[in-house]
Amino acid sequence: MARTRLLFACLALAAPLFPATAQAASLPAASLVPESGLVLSLQPRMGVLSTTQLTCEPAGGTHRHAQQACDLLMPVQGDFRRLGATNAMCTMELNPTKATLRGKWRTKRIDFQQVYPNPCAVRAHTGEVFDF
């Protein structure tokens, strides 16, 4: 009889924990899945290939300036070609650099490449998006 009372007492104390635990566990999982995931790479003709991952909503990945890059990509729906050029001054160095962006922006697949005259021109046209 004492065991039964002890068992019911334990169940009564533990019962409120299970729904709260299940609800708390499901909330972070939904918010941790990024809406957008991109792989960016830069390949200068005279230089080394560099690649990074960028996730947005929430901002993250291995990108050095993830939050700033996401802030730039949000208004243009992930299309970095629509970014406004910055006022950066670049030399006339000839080092063709291919910028590649592949992945998913919300529900849209993205697979785009653009060749710029040099790495400075890439940064001048894309801001922090390709500054990694």
Side-chain angles (χ1 to χ4, degrees):
M1 190 67 132
R3 283 187 189 170
T4 307
R5 284 187 206 156
L6 182 59
L7 179 62
F8 281 121
C10 289
L11 289 174
L13 291 173
L17 298 177
F18 289 111
T21 305
Q23 183 180 9
S26 66
L27 291 177
S31 64
L32 292 178
V33 177
E35 285 285 324
S36 304
L38 305 168
V39 175
L40 297 92
S41 63
L42 285 173
Q43 176 63 63
R45 182 179 292 166
M46 295 178 284
V48 178
L49 171 70
S50 55
T51 303
T52 193
Q53 294 177 339
L54 173 66
T55 59
C56 295
E57 302 175 286
T62 57
H63 195 288
R64 180 170 53 173
H65 305 289
Q67 186 63 56
Q68 294 91 335
C70 289
D71 290 345
L72 287 172
L73 289 170
M74 295 266 198
V76 296
Q77 300 297 310
D79 187 355
F80 76 91
R81 296 170 297 167
R82 293 178 32 209
L83 292 173
T86 64
N87 293 327
M89 299 293 289
C90 294
T91 63
M92 298 299 291
E93 168 194 13
L94 182 58
N95 184 9
T97 302
K98 182 175 20 175
T100 305
L101 185 133
R102 290 192 171 109
K104 175 188 85 144
W105 185 265
R106 295 184 177 152
T107 59
K108 182 175 73 173
R109 299 283 310 151
I110 295 176
D111 187 2
F112 188 78
Q113 295 180 10
Q114 176 84 25
V115 177
Y116 294 90
N118 54 50
C120 179
V122 175
R123 286 188 299 281
H125 285 92
T126 64
E128 281 90 5
V129 175
F130 279 93
D131 185 16
F132 51 87

